[in-house]
Amino acid sequence: MTKFKRIVSLVIFVPLGIVLIVLAVANRQSVTLALNPFRPEDSLLSLTAPLFLLLFLAVLFGMALGSFVTWWSQGKHRRQARIEAREAVRLQKENTAAVKPSPSVVPANQAFVPAPTNNAALPAR
């Protein structure tokens, strides 16, 4: 199975890597990303970088943001799983306590026989 995974990952990642390299080489020119819409020439709120770098950063930011939103939206399911796990542990402890014999109840084959207090009652050797 690991060989299959390796082949599939090579089939997917090698062409993806080639496409990314071609994208980076084709978009090497520097562009300015202006974050001030009223004064685009303001150098304080602008960033000059190669276009491929800005594209890669935008994709990485989108992936991170999507991962965070997914994690956040599944919070109610994780909370419910924690509650159910605590309840399962509590029920398991109750079950173990109910099944375990109490110390006051001793099976008949292990009944306590008091030791004789009189030496005459002991068999001779």
Side-chain angles (χ1 to χ4, degrees):
M1 190 63 168
T2 59
K3 191 171 188 175
F4 178 72
K5 284 183 181 181
R6 185 178 175 119
I7 291 172
V8 170
S9 65
L10 283 175
V11 168
I12 292 173
F13 290 124
V14 168
L16 182 64
I18 292 171
V19 168
L20 291 176
I21 290 171
V22 168
L23 178 73
V25 170
N27 294 297
R28 289 179 292 163
Q29 64 273 15
S30 291
V31 294
T32 302
L33 176 66
L35 299 175
N36 186 352
F38 303 111
R39 289 188 58 208
E41 66 278 354
D42 185 12
S43 64
L44 185 62
L45 293 175
S46 65
L47 174 70
T48 302
L51 180 61
F52 76 91
L53 183 64
L54 294 176
L55 290 174
F56 289 165
L57 289 175
V59 168
L60 288 176
F61 178 73
M63 290 172 58
L65 183 64
S67 298
F68 175 75
V69 168
T70 302
W71 175 81
W72 184 267
S73 67
Q74 293 175 349
K76 58 186 170 193
H77 302 294
R78 288 191 311 275
R79 184 179 330 110
Q80 184 66 30
R82 282 192 305 269
I83 291 169
E84 290 175 3
R86 283 188 211 119
E87 184 177 357
V89 168
R90 182 184 59 81
L91 292 174
Q92 182 69 27
K93 287 179 182 178
E94 284 181 13
N95 186 29
T96 303
V99 171
K100 183 193 283 186
S102 64
S104 63
V105 178
V106 179
N109 61 353
Q110 295 178 358
F112 176 73
V113 179
T117 56
N118 184 338
N119 285 342
L122 291 176
R125 286 190 183 184

